[in-house]
């Protein structure tokens, strides 16, 4: 079988935080990133629409030669991953694999919390899907999981307002609401790939005894582990240490905004 890159998909820029961590961890592989910026955000869209858009993105990445695709987007992982794995792959691409970001995050949170009280901050779609609650409770049945949607946080990041004083209100209000719902929370999952950019403000408004979990490093660890356990997939990943970036919107706009997420200048192509 031909070798190809690892595909990383997000509705827009957020998955770059996942790609960045994966590449730091495993720089030897080839990567392709696709951001569906023309149709972002996904966070408020219906199950059917997120599934359809995510499937189209996965098919594009398969067509670019990726044998393995990571849905570096919580909303897509919550609403589309299972159906793609159970219904699409067996019939249309039985040798390829698609992995998400929720299960690896759930696996790790139970080892970080001290009292089992976990908060999840994410998009409306991810929270409504209850994916985090289900995955965490499957692994750690004694946990108490409280989810809260933060609809203003993605626009704050996308519009470059994440480090401005104007973002304070929206961050503080959501943190306070979460901690009022369960004052015992000792660990908060940032269950949206955009949110690490708001980290400084999140820390400012969170009591210092609360652990705040960002996903990148854990997804990277989990992927490395997956490739160790699946040599039949690992040998299909090309070792060229390259990375290509694609967007469904303007490549100029993407490369400009991507610098918020990556510390390098990148060339971007339209897909
Ligand atoms: N990247 C998406 C996620 O992680 C959030 C952005 C969106 O709403 O499309 O959930």
């Amino acid at each position: 079988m031909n070798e190809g890159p690892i595909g990383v998909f997000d509705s827009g820029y957020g998955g770059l935080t996942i790609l960045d961590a994966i590449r730091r961890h495993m720089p030897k592989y080839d990567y392709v990133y696709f951001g569906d910026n023309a149709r972002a955000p996904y966070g408020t869209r219906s199950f059917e629409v997120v599934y359809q858009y995510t499937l189209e993105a996965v098919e594009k990445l398969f067509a670019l030669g990726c044998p393995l695709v990571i849905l570096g987007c919580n909303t897509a992982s919550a609403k589309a991953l299972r159906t793609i794995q159970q219904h699409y792959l067996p019939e249309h691409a039985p040798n390829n694999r698609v992995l998400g970001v929720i299960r690896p995050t759930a696996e790790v949170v139970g080892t970080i919390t001290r009292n089992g009280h976990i908060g999840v901050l994410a998009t409306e779609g991810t929270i409504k899907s209850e994916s985090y609650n289900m995955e965490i409770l499957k692994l750690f049945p004694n946990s108490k999981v409280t989810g809260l949607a933060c609809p203003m946080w993605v626009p704050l990041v996308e519009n470059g307002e994440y480090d401005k004083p104007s973002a304070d209100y929206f961050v503080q209000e959501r943190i306070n609401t979460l901690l009022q719902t369960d004052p015992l929370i000792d660990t908060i999952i940032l269950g949206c790939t955009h949110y690490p950019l708001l980290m400084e403000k999140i820390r400012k408004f969170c009591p210092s005894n609360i652990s705040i979990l960002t996903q990148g490093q854990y997804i990277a660890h989990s992927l490395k582990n997956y490739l160790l356990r699946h040599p039949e997939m690992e040998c299909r990943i090309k070792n060229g240490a390259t990375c290509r970036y694609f967007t469904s919107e303007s490549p100029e706009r993407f490369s400009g905004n991507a610098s918020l997420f990556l510390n390098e200048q990148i060339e971007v192509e339209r897909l």
Side-chain angles (χ1 to χ4, degrees), residues 5-38:
I6 295 176
V8 178
F9 166 68
D10 184 57
S11 57
Y13 302 105
L16 291 171
T17 58
I18 303 290
L19 174 74
D20 194 42
I22 295 177
R23 284 186 70 206
R24 277 174 207 275
H25 220 65
M26 291 172 287
K28 67 175 180 178
Y29 296 129
D30 281 1
Y31 295 91
V32 170
Y33 183 87
F34 174 52
D36 191 10
N37 299 75

Side-chain angles (χ1 to χ4, degrees), residues 78-211:
K79 293 184 147 185
L81 178 65
R82 188 149 304 197
T83 316
I84 290 175
Q85 286 176 332
Q86 292 179 353
H87 299 288
Y88 176 81
L89 289 181
E91 196 178 329
H92 300 278
N95 295 317
N96 289 357
R97 291 290 173 267
V98 179
L99 304 174
V101 290
I102 293 179
R103 172 82 188 196
T105 311
E107 278 170 7
V108 104
V109 72
T111 66
I112 294 175
T113 177
R114 296 164 304 271
N115 66 6
H117 287 254
I118 297 160
V120 181
L121 298 174
T123 64
E124 194 187 309
T126 301
I127 296 299
K128 280 198 179 147
S129 76
E130 305 239 316
S131 299
Y132 270 104
N133 302 48
M134 288 187 289
E135 290 294 344
I136 295 170
L137 290 174
K138 247 190 265 168
L139 297 164
F140 307 102
N142 296 325
S143 323
K144 179 169 166 41
V145 184
T146 306
L148 184 69
C150 306
M152 288 303 291
W153 287 18
V154 169
L156 283 173
V157 173
E158 294 268 333
N159 294 302
E161 293 287 319
Y162 62 94
D163 56 353
K164 305 281 185 330
S166 53
D168 283 23
Y169 168 79
F170 296 103
V171 174
Q172 186 173 22
E173 189 274 327
R174 291 286 84 181
I175 300 280
N176 288 351
T177 303
L178 181 72
L179 297 180
Q180 272 159 18
T181 312
D182 179 3
L184 294 179
I185 285 173
D186 77 349
T187 305
I188 295 177
I189 296 175
L190 300 188
C192 171
T193 49
H194 281 68
Y195 296 176
L197 272 85
L198 289 159
M199 190 54 135
E200 211 171 286
K201 301 221 183 263
I202 294 168
R203 282 209 197 282
K204 181 168 152 193
F205 296 115
C206 249
S208 58
N209 63 319
I210 295 183
S211 308

